[in-house]
């Protein structure tokens, strides 16, 4: 949090007209405990709606992970994770006793991957896998390597080894993939190169995080990603998923578990309750998929720097800042990634020199001291809003499932790296649940996740192999 004294010291010496604007931003971006509670209430209804036959904004995708891992799963697996900046390839050995070993390599994605062709995307993944397999298995393999594919986009699954991309998120816009099953696309690219890999499971990063963390900690109730995007997964009673009634096979018990990839970045696409500002609206309208991922666009790492940029441009246009500066570079969309607010928040030097250097380097703008203070204050406001809104999804799942205590396993660049995110998120939960205990005794806590897209993908591949070996179903009938 930002104490009143720190805030007062930061705002000292700022001209009255700019100060007034900052007060406006403070009003606009502050989300009270009451508001968090009302958002959570609506969130619960929307989670239910997503599971219903009619459906709603939140996709609530059944992930066909039908078992809670025991920690005793074993075997050798490959896993890949197509992230925002890297393709991560991991060789995983599950050792049982909740233990595993991983060896990994990261391949940098080409800069323009978000708008590449489908052919370029699958070739890049298959070529990277070839390099990895050739290096690790120079003498070849006896049988195809089972691979868990972490594909962190909303993909419908009628079975665990299928993923029909509903739509791209996080700024991706590659033609010819939406509406299609991505597994054969990858499998074909592998076959063309004679790579001995069998894609046995397609996994969302949140589902992988859920399962990897549950393998190591049975108190795990959900898997969460706070990164470039934002999403959560949890285990639902199979019988509480009306849209699956009649679709799953008889060997699936109503009281058994089914992992649900919520895709709750899409919460409130109908703009019923989130406190959107004109900057959130602008980000949405200028994105490749307007009216999608409303919640994510307010809180995820992909958007935080962009929100700051839009606010600065607005103040510039009002004639309040950056007088006599060349703002050509500042006009470039997504010029700032999340490191801009993150670095701004941790700059504690008197003259905020780190902020000055960063802006000079990124935008060739020389901020005066007032402007540096402004950037720091806006960063705090945008990030506090993001971390507080982020926990509404957690609170909603806990209330829906009746969890009074929970370990909520989180991963992602914002959770891992953004200064203060964890404390602010914990405070958001305290405000929603009105706990009066010592914070160290909070009954629902966000904890650091195990490696979802490495170990998690491998465990899911192992669970799938086990079910298939027993002749059990892993998809609709
Ligand atoms: C986006 C994706 C979702 C993913 C999340 C975190 O919301 O749609 O599948 O889990 O980002 O990476």
């Amino acid at each position: 949090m930002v104490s009143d004294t720190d805030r007062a010291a930061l705002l000292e010496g700022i001209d009255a007209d700019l100060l007034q604007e900052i007060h406006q931003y403070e009003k606009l971006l502050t989300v009270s405990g009451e508001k968090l509670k009302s958002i959570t209430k609506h969130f619960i209804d929307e989670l239910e709606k997503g599971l219903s036959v009619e459906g709603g904004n939140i996709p609530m995708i059944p992930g066909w992970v039908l078992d809670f891992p025991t920690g005793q799963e074993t075997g050798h697996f490959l896993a890949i994770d197509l992230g925002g900046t890297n393709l991560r390839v991991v060789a995983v050995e599950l050792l049982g006793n909740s233990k595993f070993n991983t060896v990994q390599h990261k391949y940098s994605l080409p800069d323009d991957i978000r708008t590449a062709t489908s052919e370029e995307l699958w070739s890049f993944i298959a070529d990277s896998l070839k390099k990895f397999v050739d290096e690790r298995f120079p003498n070849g393999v006896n049988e195809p390597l089972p691979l868990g594919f972490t594909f962190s986009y909303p993909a419908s699954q009628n079975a665990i080894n299928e993923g029909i991309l509903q739509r791209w998120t996080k700024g991706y816009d590659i033609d010819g993939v939406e509406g299609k099953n991505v597994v054969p696309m990858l499998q074909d690219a592998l076959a063309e190169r004679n790579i001995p890999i069998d894609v046995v499971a397609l996994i969302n990063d949140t589902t992988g995080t859920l399962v990897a963390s549950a393998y190591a900690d049975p108190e795990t109730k959900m898997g969460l990603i706070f990164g470039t995007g934002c999403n959560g997964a949890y285990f639902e009673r199979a019988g509480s998923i009306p849209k699956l009634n009649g679709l799953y096979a008889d060997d699936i018990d109503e009281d058994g578990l089914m992992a649900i990839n919520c895709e709750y970045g899409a919460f409130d696409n109908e703009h019923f309750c989130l406190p959107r500002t004109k900057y959130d609206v602008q980000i949405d309208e200028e994105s490749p998929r307007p009216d999608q991922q409303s919640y994510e666009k307010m809180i995820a790492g992909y958007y935080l720097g962009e929100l700051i940029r839009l606010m600065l441009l607005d103040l510039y246009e009002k004639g309040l800042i950056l007088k006599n500066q060349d703002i050509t570079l500042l006009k470039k969309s997504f010029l700032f990634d999340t490191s801009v607010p993150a670095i701004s928040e941790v700059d504690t030097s008197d003259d905020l020199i780190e902020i000055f250097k960063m802006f000079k380097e990124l935008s060739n703008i020389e901020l005066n001291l007032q402007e540096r203070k402004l950037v720091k204050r806006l960063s705090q406001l945008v990030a506090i809003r993001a971390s507080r809104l982020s926990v509404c999804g957690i609170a909603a799942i806990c209330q829906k499932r009746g969890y009074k205590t929970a370990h909520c396993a989180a991963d992602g660049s914002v959770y891992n790296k953004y200064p203060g995110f964890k404390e602010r998120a914990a405070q958001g939960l305290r405000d929603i649940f009105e706990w009066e205990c010592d914070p160290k005794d909070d009954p629902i806590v966000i904890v650091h996740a195990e490696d979802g897209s490495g170990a998690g993908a491998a465990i899911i591949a192992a669970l799938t192999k086990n079910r298939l070996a027993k002749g059990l179903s892993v998809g609709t009938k």
Side-chain angles (χ1 to χ4, degrees):
M1 296 302 126
V2 179
S3 73
D4 288 347
T5 341
D6 287 349
R7 173 180 168 275
L10 180 63
L11 299 186
E12 210 178 272
I14 295 186
D15 290 345
D17 46 0
L18 185 55
L19 195 60
Q20 204 184 338
E21 292 287 337
I22 294 180
H23 291 326
Q24 284 303 324
Y25 283 114
E26 289 175 334
K27 265 203 210 127
L28 215 58
L29 297 166
T30 301
V31 193
S32 68
E34 284 314 304
K35 183 69 184 169
L36 291 180
K37 280 187 222 165
S38 73
I39 294 171
T40 303
K41 196 158 166 281
H42 186 55
F43 218 126
I44 301 171
D45 295 343
E46 291 295 302
L47 294 175
E48 294 284 359
K49 217 195 257 176
L51 293 173
S52 72
V53 177
E54 312 79 62
N57 286 169
I58 307 185
M60 302 297 277
I61 303 173
W64 301 102
V65 179
L66 292 149
D67 306 288
F68 200 84
T70 60
Q72 298 312 323
E73 293 75 13
T74 53
H76 287 272
F77 300 88
L78 282 184
I80 55 168
D81 180 11
L82 176 65
T85 43
N86 289 305
L87 172 74
R88 186 169 164 246
V89 182
V90 198
V92 187
E93 184 181 7
L94 299 179
L95 302 163
N97 290 324
S98 300
K99 303 247 176 335
F100 55 84
N101 285 329
T102 56
V103 179
Q104 66 161 2
H105 194 93
K106 283 185 177 168
Y107 300 88
S108 301
L109 292 170
D111 280 347
D112 47 3
I113 194 76
R114 281 190 160 78
T115 50
T117 63
S118 168
E119 163 74 22
E120 282 163 345
L121 173 70
W122 303 115
S123 298
F124 177 80
I125 299 178
D127 289 339
S128 307
L129 268 168
K130 182 158 173 45
K131 279 185 218 150
F132 188 83
V133 170
D134 286 349
E135 230 166 74
R136 281 205 59 77
F137 304 94
N139 303 323
V141 290
N142 297 332
E143 50 182 38
L145 298 158
L147 176 115
F149 177 17
T150 302
F151 184 69
S152 306
Y153 304 90
S156 315
Q157 298 192 274
N158 290 313
I160 187 131
N161 62 349
E162 159 180 304
I164 299 156
L165 177 62
Q166 297 180 348
R167 64 191 160 275
W168 287 113
T169 54
K170 300 180 278 199
Y172 268 74
D173 190 13
I174 300 177
D175 274 349
V177 189
E178 283 171 325
K180 299 208 177 115
N181 181 3
V182 298
V183 173
M185 294 188 178
L186 173 59
Q187 197 72 68
D188 289 350
L190 294 168
E192 274 166 29
R193 293 161 180 79
N194 286 321
I195 312 172
I197 287 179
D198 190 12
V199 186
V200 294
L202 180 124
I203 299 142
N204 187 259
D205 50 359
T206 56
T207 315
T209 299
L210 169 69
V211 173
S213 304
Y215 181 80
D217 170 12
E219 295 305 310
T220 305
K221 295 288 191 284
M222 55 195 95
L224 308 160
I225 301 290
F226 302 110
T228 311
C230 172
N231 187 16
Y234 72 105
F235 278 110
E236 186 53 90
R237 257 187 87 245
S240 304
I241 312 173
K243 66 182 177 185
L244 274 189
N245 279 353
L247 289 179
Y248 53 78
D250 298 341
D251 59 43
I252 296 177
D253 178 5
E254 291 232 312
D255 287 321
L257 297 173
M258 165 77 93
I260 303 287
N261 160 23
C262 300
E263 287 295 334
Y264 63 43
F267 170 62
D268 206 30
N269 280 349
E270 60 204 0
H271 314 315
F272 176 76
C273 65
L274 288 174
R276 295 211 303 168
T277 64
K278 64 176 176 178
Y279 310 103
D280 300 300
V281 174
Q282 189 177 348
I283 286 198
D284 184 34
E285 285 174 352
E286 289 171 5
S287 76
R289 299 289 178 281
D291 283 329
Q292 305 288 348
Q293 303 297 99
S294 288
Y295 181 54
E296 178 164 272
K297 284 171 178 159
M298 295 177 78
I299 61 182
Y302 189 56
Y303 304 99
L304 298 185
E306 180 67 355
L307 280 166
I308 309 276
R309 190 187 70 87
L310 294 179
M311 289 172 192
L312 293 179
L313 272 183
D314 196 17
L315 290 171
Y316 168 82
E317 271 149 27
K318 287 182 179 161
L320 290 168
I321 57 167
L322 310 178
K323 292 172 190 151
N324 308 319
Q325 296 273 350
D326 176 1
I327 61 142
T328 316
L329 283 172
L330 188 67
K331 285 194 176 152
K332 189 169 171 267
S333 302
F334 290 91
L335 177 72
F336 299 153
D337 64 21
T338 306
S339 66
V340 168
I343 291 172
S344 302
E345 283 217 52
V346 292
D347 187 353
T348 48
S349 60
D350 283 346
D351 51 1
L352 301 176
I353 194 69
E354 297 307 325
I355 300 181
F356 177 85
K357 283 198 242 158
M358 176 169 64
F359 268 72
K360 176 79 185 153
E361 194 182 313
L362 289 172
S363 62
N364 203 23
I365 286 173
E366 298 192 348
L367 296 181
N368 64 30
L369 185 56
Q370 288 203 41
E371 291 161 349
R372 288 173 235 164
K373 289 177 165 226
L374 165 75
V375 167
K376 180 158 175 165
R377 185 66 187 137
L378 290 181
S379 301
Q380 293 168 344
L381 291 170
V382 164
I384 293 174
R385 182 185 76 155
S387 46
R388 288 173 68 74
L389 287 176
S390 288
V391 297
C392 293
I394 302 179
I397 292 177
C398 286
Q399 292 189 25
K400 181 186 177 318
R401 293 290 279 130
Y403 298 142
K404 299 281 178 250
T405 62
H407 288 179
C408 309
D411 208 345
S413 51
V414 173
Y415 176 77
N416 291 325
K417 293 201 239 150
Y418 198 95
F421 179 87
K422 296 183 179 95
E423 295 75 14
R424 291 165 176 172
Q427 184 58 49
L429 283 175
R430 293 178 67 77
D431 289 356
I432 294 173
F433 288 106
E434 298 182 5
W435 296 317
E436 280 168 8
C437 57
D438 191 304
K440 73 173 175 14
D441 299 324
D442 284 354
I444 297 170
V445 284
I446 308 177
V447 297
H448 196 279
E450 296 293 333
D451 171 13
S453 56
I459 297 159
I460 292 174
L463 292 172
T464 306
K465 272 184 75 179
N466 292 347
R467 282 186 75 81
L468 291 172
K470 288 187 205 149
L472 294 173
S473 56
V474 290
T476 51
K477 22 181 193 193

